[in-house]
Each structure stands twice: as structure tokens, then as C-alpha cells.
Amino acid sequence: MSTPPDTAAPLTGLRVVDLATLFAGPIAATMLGDFGAEVIKVEHPAKPDPSRGHGPSKDGVGLWWKLLGRNKRTMTLDLSRPGGRTTLLRLAATTDVIIENFRPGTLEKWDLGWEELSAANPRLVLARVTGFGQFGPYARRPGFGTLAEAMSGFAAITGEPDAPPVLPPFGLADSIAGLATAYAVMTALAARDRTGAGQVIDMAIIEPILTVLGPQPIWYDQLGHVQPRTGNRSANNAPRNTYRTADGSWVAVSTSAQSIAERLMILVGRPELIAEPWFATGADRARHTDVLDEAVGAWIARHTRTEVLEAFEKAEAAVAPIQDVRDVMTDPQYAALDTVTTIPDDPELGPLRMQNILFRLSSTPGAIRWAGRPHGADTEAVLTELGLAEAEITALRSEGAL
């Protein structure tokens, strides 16, 4: 169970304003909130963050939002209205970080660009998260993670060799960009500690996913090599694949280390393969994948999943079951780590389980303090803390800015 730590979380005292939607920017804000930052989620009064309506809901409450909106206070503000603009500048004056993902030029259209925001607060860090970045020929195009997964080379190498490219069934590029944005924010804040000045972060969703794809650009630059689709197989080592057990389950096997590959061959009763000249390196083994897959697959097919896992553990070979979310929720290692933790008292849904914070710190841990809150739940509280009188708040509502 995730509970508030006894000691102050490492980002306590940091204020973050989350102006972003779907999904990279909000993920970055969530990561910061998990470790103590005060995150204020600003949404349009009539058009909430679309993640509130994405995917399944329970009793009209979007479940994805409960995860994405955790540890965030929520307020409404129409930035296109004069009162909304003035209020955001007032909020920016007391804020460390603003995260936004409007199309380039949108904030400037509202007179809320870097010039105006930095004038309100020279120490502000502005993280701008867009599909293609703030400049270049694609900058003003609509940009989503799916496009980044296609453009980056990810889809081109994913799937079976004789099948179409495969897109992930979840927000992969957005999630990677969200984590990269959180890192960028902390880097900019470290620079601010030295210089006293804030700066702009330009995060293009098409870039972080290209980074995590590894050495593809340098392979092409130096060798003209274009990585093909290989399904579950690897061009760098073998055996590396998924295999079906006698009871119809699936397991994944990896042999990235030579010693693991040798242990596996002994386990499956094919020790003679170790003596083959081509067995000495991962790349050479990958050229004989058919032989190795047959040896491993035939052995696994004769044993149940439990038998396979126990035998691999005893042999110190590397294996993992192919798990769906039902398995994840009961997996003993995840349970030991509290990876899927319980929020005991959500006001809308009661007890609910979700992924825990991303990593553990021994002295200043983070925590999930609450799950995503209703649209605009903290508007009046935030404005009152900013020093707005009741009459000013009423005027903003009358204008349609809240």
C-alpha cells in the first residue's frame, strides 16, 4: 500500500502547473507529483483532459484518469479569455515548472508565450511537449504518439518478417516522452540552482523513442545496415523467443549471456551444441536460430509452465512467463515490490489498485497521496491561495474563464 512517507519527499516545495493533455506531458507531471511536487492540473472549463474519457469507466468515472491524475490538484481555466490569461500569469509567478503541449504558437496567440511567462517569473521552467518540436517543417502538424512510433523506426522493426509493421497497443512513445520530460525538467531545475534563471524545454515526442531504439542510426551511417523485422527473434543472440508449454501457456527465453546459453543447452538435453564453433558468440548463434529454437521449443513443449519455470530456476537459466494483467496482479515478485499498490479510500471509487511510483528511494521516498480528482475540484482553493477575493473569482466565472 502506498502511503505518505514520514520524511518530506524530495520534490516537496516544488510547484508544477500541468496544462497538457494526452499523454506525454501529463505523465511527466505525474512523475514529479509522485515525489512530492505540488501539481496543479489546469483544464478547460468545458473540455476536460480527454484522458478522463479514454478507456473503461466505472460509475461514470474514467479509470485511466485515476492513474494519470494522481497526486494532482485540479482546477479549470480558459486561457483564451482575458481573465484566464491574467490568472495563469499570476499562477506562473509562484510556480517552478509549467508543462504544456499546445500546438506551437498557441500560447503566443494568447499572449502567454515564453516572453510573458518569464517576465512574470524569471525562474520559471517551461516544458513544451509536442509531436514534432517547436520548429521544423512538421512543427505545426497535429502530433500523437502513434505517429512517433511510425516515424521513429519502431513499427518498421516490430512484427514478423512476412507480416505488416506493428504499432503498440498502448501509448509507448508518449510514455517514453513523459519520462524524458520529467528528466528534462529536473535537469533544467539543476541548472537553475546554479544560474538562478529558468529556461524552455523543447520536447518532441518523435525523439525519445528513437533514442531508446538503440544503435540503428549509427549502424546505418557506418554500415548501411537497416534492421529488419525478426518477430521475437534477435539478430544479436539466440535462442531468444517465446515458446509454448505442454499445458498451453507461453514463456519467454533470453540468452544474452554466453553462460546462460550454455546452461540452457545442458538443461534441454543438447549439450553437444555448445561444442559447435558457431555457438561461441551471440551473433553466430543467431545465424543458427532454427536449430536452437527447435531444441529449446521441443523440450519446453514436453513440460508444463510450472515445470519449465522450476527447471530454469534450478539451472540458473533466464525465463519468464508470458503474463497478462491477471497474472501481473498476483505475481509474487510484483507483490513483494508492491508494484501494483492499493489506494484505500478514493472518494469516488473506494479502494482501487494501480501501478505504484516508478522507483524506491531509501531516505526520501515518494508516495501516491490520492488518485485523480474530479474536474475542477480544487479551483476555488487554488485561486483563494493565490490571493483572489471571492468577488474576483465570481467575476472570472461570469466571464467564462473558470
Side-chain angles (χ1 to χ4, degrees), residues 167-246:
L167 294 168
F170 65 100
L172 176 63
D174 278 309
S175 298
I176 296 171
L179 296 175
T181 301
Y183 166 62
V185 165
M186 299 311 300
T187 302
L189 291 174
R192 189 183 73 174
D193 288 343
R194 294 198 316 273
T195 66
Q199 60 183 299
V200 177
I201 296 165
D202 180 3
M203 177 63 66
I205 295 173
I206 61 172
E207 292 184 302
I209 187 171
L210 179 57
T211 297
V212 303
L213 284 176
Q216 287 191 55
I218 195 169
W219 281 348
Y220 180 75
D221 175 67
Q222 296 295 304
L223 301 172
H225 176 71
V226 178
Q227 183 175 342
R229 287 194 293 285
T230 57
N232 291 323
R233 293 180 170 184
S234 169
N236 303 311
N237 67 82
R240 190 264 197 184
N241 213 327
T242 59
Y243 306 92
R244 194 167 190 174
T245 64

Side-chain angles (χ1 to χ4, degrees), residues 52-205:
R52 290 181 179 274
H54 264 54
S57 62
K58 180 181 179 182
D59 300 332
V61 178
L63 299 179
W64 201 337
W65 167 252
K66 285 295 177 183
L67 173 67
L68 193 64
R70 73 187 188 193
N71 292 335
K72 299 179 183 181
R73 304 170 77 192
T74 63
M75 68 173 294
T76 59
L77 204 60
D78 185 343
L79 303 181
S80 69
R81 296 181 182 271
R85 175 186 180 276
T86 301
T87 303
L88 182 67
L89 290 174
R90 194 163 176 173
L91 186 59
T94 64
T95 291
D96 298 284
V97 181
I98 291 178
I99 301 174
E100 64 97 0
N101 71 338
F102 297 106
R103 215 178 293 188
T106 301
L107 283 183
E108 286 74 10
K109 179 179 66 176
W110 298 330
D111 293 326
L112 285 171
W114 176 240
E115 183 177 345
E116 292 81 7
L117 291 171
S118 61
N121 181 0
R123 289 174 55 82
L124 180 70
V125 170
L126 175 63
R128 315 195 77 166
V129 186
T130 57
F132 305 106
Q134 294 295 309
F135 57 91
Y138 303 165
R140 293 185 177 272
R141 291 182 181 179
F144 298 99
T146 297
L147 308 188
E149 290 145 11
M151 284 183 59
S152 63
F154 171 83
I157 64 170
T158 305
E160 296 297 329
D162 56 352
V166 174
L167 294 168
F170 65 100
L172 176 63
D174 278 309
S175 298
I176 296 171
L179 296 175
T181 301
Y183 166 62
V185 165
M186 299 311 300
T187 302
L189 291 174
R192 189 183 73 174
D193 288 343
R194 294 198 316 273
T195 66
Q199 60 183 299
V200 177
I201 296 165
D202 180 3
M203 177 63 66
I205 295 173

Side-chain angles (χ1 to χ4, degrees), residues 17 88 203 276 308 369:
V17 171
L88 182 67
M203 177 63 66
E276 294 286 349
V308 170
R369 300 184 298 280

Side-chain angles (χ1 to χ4, degrees), residues 255-394:
T255 56
S256 295
Q258 181 69 20
S259 59
I260 298 292
E262 293 174 3
R263 290 174 200 158
L264 179 55
M265 290 303 102
I266 295 170
L267 171 62
V268 302
R270 297 295 301 275
E272 76 280 3
L273 293 176
I274 300 173
E276 294 286 349
W278 50 261
F279 197 87
T281 70
D284 283 338
R285 292 199 310 274
R287 296 186 184 96
H288 295 79
T289 297
D290 288 341
V291 173
L292 294 171
D293 269 350
E294 191 283 327
V296 175
W299 185 89
I300 288 176
R302 296 194 300 269
H303 297 81
T304 66
R305 185 176 90 160
T306 299
E307 290 170 343
V308 170
L309 298 179
E310 290 177 349
F312 268 71
E313 183 172 4
K314 185 176 180 180
E316 297 185 11
V319 69
I322 303 294
Q323 300 190 146
D324 63 21
V325 69
R326 294 168 295 185
D327 302 312
V328 169
M329 300 293 266
T330 58
D331 182 277
Q333 183 61 33
Y334 281 133
L337 297 174
D338 195 29
T339 305
V340 179
T341 196
T342 299
I343 313 302
D345 53 359
D346 181 74
E348 294 180 292
L349 298 177
L352 57 89
R353 290 186 289 172
M354 66 173 63
Q355 299 96 315
N356 208 338
I357 58 177
L358 194 60
F359 50 86
R360 288 164 289 281
L361 296 179
S362 61
S363 298
T364 56
I368 302 173
R369 300 184 298 280
W370 60 81
R373 289 171 56 70
H375 181 228
D378 304 291
T379 301
E380 293 203 15
V382 172
L383 295 178
T384 300
E385 291 164 11
L386 280 178
L388 274 70
E390 185 176 341
E392 292 177 285
I393 297 174
T394 300

